[in-house]
Amino acid sequence: MTSKIILDTDPGIDDAMAILFAEAHPDIDLVGITTVFGNATIENGTRNALWLKQKYGMRADVAMGAAAPLVREPVGPTTVVHGPSGLGDVAAGEVTLAPDPRPAWQYLVETVQANPGEITLVTIGPLTNLALALAHAPEIVTQVKQVVVMGGAFGVNGHRGNVTPYAEANIHDDPEAADRVFTAPWPLVIIGLDVTQQSFFSGAYLDALRDEAGEPGRFLWDVSRFYLRFYSERIGLDGCHVHDPSAIAYVIDPTLFTLREGPVRVVTDGPAIGHTLQKFDDRRHPHDGWAGCPAQRVGVAVRDQALLALYRDTLVAWGKGSD
Ligand code: RIB
Ligand code: CA
């Protein structure tokens, strides 16, 4: 069955990997792309999204979103990981398309309301746009099909954080927004570092994509060079983790992941700002900030080889026709 999705993104190298994956898979109908600050400034990220839409002839709308977090001081674009413009060594060419005139939060609300029960919101950047959509139209919690979030780290499989010892980048960028989104009563799945750092696109895997997946494979190889240099220099890895494409993989095949249920909260200040915590037992406490919050589902295990095969097969099938 085809899933209609809106992809909320901060493009971003692994965001580009996820955007092409969503566009390529026949079970995904990529209705819209909403942009948010994060890996790049909102201007650069939106330009990257429009350029990808233009380059690959995508029918998805592109709507520009938030330039800064709700409450915290902005931490600034992650140029060290994603390069000065967000796409590593690749410079987006001239863009002739314009974004949708609506701000992302309004695009999200109106598109969900025009398709009740049908839209899956997939987020692969800070959660600011979703928090703004909730603030303007809280009723969307009953109108979306589900929300799938790439973000957070719960200490499962030893993964606790990538921008601080206890925070993942998307949540650290706007912890207040994340706490509002995680405590809203909508069906929500979190695909965090606990699972995304369990899967690797190795150098050899990306070389094979370059050779077998036509023009998109060569583009993914080009765009990943900067990212792989970061991973090699900072972490000593020949390859990169599979962050943003994992959220798309969940929509295509949820059986790739094992999930754990329980309410989730986010630390919104102090040294642990951006830390995500799930309460997953029934113990009672005299003080409990999780009580009364809806149970959400958090990814705790992934069939990584099957996920890698799904990504490769999808891109190869799509890219073949491009040569
Ligand atoms: O922590 C990984 C996440 O942060 C990914 O979404 C990546 O693109 C960055 O936004
Ligand atoms: Ca991202």
Side-chain angles (χ1 to χ4, degrees):
M1 207 184 71
T2 306
S3 299
K4 285 186 186 180
I5 73 167
I6 300 176
L7 186 55
D8 190 67
T9 169
D10 57 339
I13 293 171
D14 61 325
D15 301 75
M17 294 171 166
I19 291 169
L20 295 201
F21 189 23
E23 178 68 12
H25 201 282
D27 293 351
I28 300 272
D29 177 4
L30 182 56
V31 172
I33 295 173
T34 48
T35 59
V36 63
F37 74 94
N39 293 326
T41 61
I42 192 63
E43 291 80 15
N44 284 342
T46 305
R47 178 177 159 77
N48 293 341
L50 284 168
W51 182 63
L52 290 173
K53 170 180 161 107
Q54 182 178 294
K55 181 171 165 60
Y56 291 102
M58 298 178 187
R59 102 179 164 86
D61 305 311
V62 173
M64 183 156 100
L70 297 181
V71 176
R72 75 161 300 164
E73 280 297 307
V75 297
T78 327
T79 51
V80 64
V81 186
H82 296 268
S85 73
L87 292 180
D89 302 320
V90 174
E94 192 194 341
V95 175
T96 54
L97 303 176
D100 189 279
R102 293 166 285 183
W105 69 261
Q106 187 182 354
Y107 176 84
L108 287 165
V109 168
E110 291 181 4
T111 309
V112 165
Q113 294 185 337
N115 299 269
E118 288 189 48
I119 300 283
T120 294
L121 303 179
V122 183
T123 73
I124 56 176
L127 289 158
T128 322
N129 291 334
L130 263 68
L132 290 171
L134 276 175
H136 283 93
E139 65 276 15
I140 61 169
V141 296
T142 61
Q143 297 165 337
V144 296
K145 183 173 178 193
Q146 63 174 341
V147 183
V148 178
V149 172
M150 189 281 127
F154 295 83
V156 181
N157 304 312
H159 304 301
R160 295 184 179 82
N162 58 358
V163 289
T164 81
Y166 289 99
E168 181 278 330
N170 290 337
I171 308 305
H172 185 254
D173 269 338
D174 195 342
E176 190 72 44
D179 194 54
R180 293 184 198 179
V181 168
F182 294 163
T183 55
W186 48 11
L188 183 136
V189 172
I190 301 175
I191 300 294
L193 300 185
D194 314 82
V195 282
T196 67
Q197 288 189 332
Q198 291 292 99
S199 303
F200 302 92
F201 285 154
S202 67
Y205 177 99
L206 292 164
D207 289 351
L209 268 189
R210 173 196 60 196
D211 297 340
E212 294 164 20
E215 194 285 332
R218 292 194 290 279
F219 170 74
L220 289 170
W221 191 88
D222 287 343
V223 85
S224 59
R225 294 309 91 190
F226 192 99
Y227 206 42
L228 261 61
R229 281 204 299 280
F230 168 81
Y231 271 88
S232 160
E233 285 162 15
R234 295 292 176 98
I235 309 175
L237 259 186
D238 171 27
C240 59
H241 294 129
V242 186
H243 294 307
D244 293 346
S246 292
I248 303 295
Y250 176 81
V251 178
I252 297 167
D253 182 2
T255 72
L256 292 169
F257 297 89
T258 306
L259 305 176
R260 184 178 73 186
E261 263 198 34
V264 174
R265 299 300 309 261
V266 180
V267 177
T268 54
D269 62 10
I273 188 168
H275 186 45
T276 47
L277 296 138
Q278 184 184 39
K279 182 177 184 229
F280 49 90
D281 60 32
D282 294 330
R283 264 183 274 175
R284 296 164 73 97
H285 303 266
H287 309 282
D288 187 345
W290 287 254
C293 297
Q296 309 294 15
R297 289 168 294 159
V298 169
V300 293
V302 56
R303 291 191 290 120
D304 61 318
Q305 293 307 310
L307 187 154
L308 295 182
L310 174 66
Y311 191 87
R312 182 186 55 237
D313 293 349
T314 304
L315 268 293
V316 169
W318 189 55
K320 257 187 197 153
S322 65
D323 281 332

